[in-house]
Amino acid sequence: MLLSSTGTAFANVGRLIIKSNGHISTELIPTDEIFYNSKVSFWAASVKNKVDEAGRREIGSSAVAQSINDETGARIVRKLECNLGDFCADAYRMTQNTDIGWCNGGSIRADLPAGKITLNSLLSVFPFNSQAAVGEVTGQAVRDALEMTSRRSPVDNGGFAQVSGLKYEIDTTVASSVIVDGNGVFSSVNGKRRVHHVTVLNKNTGEYEPIVPTAHYTIAASAYVLRDNGDGVVFPNIVITKDAVCSDAEILETYITKFLNKKIGTEYAEPQGRIIVGDGRK
């Protein structure tokens, strides 16, 4: 077996050579030898110019700054509700017309400043080109998923759920009783629950009502979460009704342009009180 590694920081490009006699060999080509080739450099520059131009396309504007950090600059998106988390989860729910919008905190990577919003702004928030999906789940599956995503609170967890159409509380004085398998994927809850007062928005009345374990709810999130058990989250027996709808950045663009008339208002100035943790912070 032939093993080859190119190292880190894109210092090299690996080349695999297979000859007609079956002999296989590899070699490393330093990237500086590639990038400073005049023909390659010209081509790369032309592509970069096109990408830069596309990234400068104006999407809309925001009256407020939305952040993944608190006022001290400490990251909170992976352990507490934040205004940008609310915005992203709302975008999933509203554009896909579901009961629940769900966004794992680890997918939100940068702030969305006040003022002009460009495509690059959205790609900074969601840089991974994750695909959106829609599914139908039971209330019990939602409760279990929240136990999984809240099991480390108030410590950072990439799977921490920023939500829309949903409210919940985490009692951090209760030790997590979540059981995971050998791959870190949710298996069961074997003890007292730390997530409680889970409520879902009733679209007809505009009021939040207790989630019903046996009821079915529609949910919009990334396929990474709904389909691929990302961050170990499992929605048992989920029925995927839409898969790879569009990218997460496109979800934000559609929300801004089609639902907010290209203007993000002051309603996103602060977190909206959807998640309460044991120490009373939101």
Side-chain angles (χ1 to χ4, degrees), residues 134-152:
V134 175
E136 185 176 292
V137 297
T138 65
Q140 185 60 52
V142 173
R143 293 181 67 233
D144 288 346
L146 290 174
E147 284 291 330
M148 179 67 179
T149 60
S150 303
R151 71 193 187 285
R152 294 176 182 164

Side-chain angles (χ1 to χ4, degrees), residues 40-233:
V40 173
S41 296
F42 178 81
W43 175 81
S46 66
V47 172
K48 183 178 184 301
N49 288 337
K50 292 179 181 178
V51 171
D52 289 344
E53 182 180 356
R56 289 191 292 268
R57 178 167 59 86
E58 189 168 346
I59 305 298
S61 64
S62 180
V64 297
Q66 298 181 71
S67 182
I68 60 176
N69 305 315
D70 65 13
E71 61 278 1
T72 70
R75 185 175 66 187
I76 61 171
V77 68
R78 300 182 182 210
K79 60 182 178 181
L80 296 169
E81 180 186 357
C82 62
N83 59 349
L84 185 52
D86 287 345
F87 174 76
C88 292
D90 280 351
Y92 271 105
R93 180 174 68 90
M94 296 300 292
T95 62
Q96 301 308 307
N97 190 29
T98 55
D99 298 313
I100 298 168
W102 184 293
C103 188
N104 56 310
S107 69
I108 308 173
R109 308 298 283 200
D111 297 343
L112 194 61
K116 182 172 72 173
I117 297 172
T118 65
L119 177 59
N120 276 338
S121 306
L122 305 186
L123 292 174
S124 294
V125 173
F126 281 146
F128 300 124
N129 194 38
S130 296
Q131 297 297 299
V134 175
E136 185 176 292
V137 297
T138 65
Q140 185 60 52
V142 173
R143 293 181 67 233
D144 288 346
L146 290 174
E147 284 291 330
M148 179 67 179
T149 60
S150 303
R151 71 193 187 285
R152 294 176 182 164
S153 295
V155 177
D156 266 18
N157 174 18
F160 184 83
Q162 302 285 340
V163 295
S164 175
L166 192 69
K167 291 184 179 182
Y168 65 101
E169 299 181 16
I170 308 167
D171 185 350
T172 54
T173 66
V174 175
S176 175
S177 60
V178 166
I179 305 297
V180 298
D181 65 17
N183 295 316
V185 175
F186 176 86
S187 177
S188 65
V189 179
N190 187 30
K192 189 175 181 180
R193 291 178 177 265
R194 57 183 358 213
V195 176
H196 53 97
H197 293 157
V198 182
T199 57
V200 181
L201 180 66
N202 185 313
K203 293 180 180 180
N204 296 321
T205 65
E207 300 292 329
Y208 282 85
E209 301 174 349
I211 196 166
V212 179
T214 56
H216 288 79
Y217 301 91
T218 54
I219 182 171
S222 68
Y224 170 75
V225 171
L226 294 186
R227 185 192 65 204
D228 302 334
N229 302 141
D231 297 303
V233 176

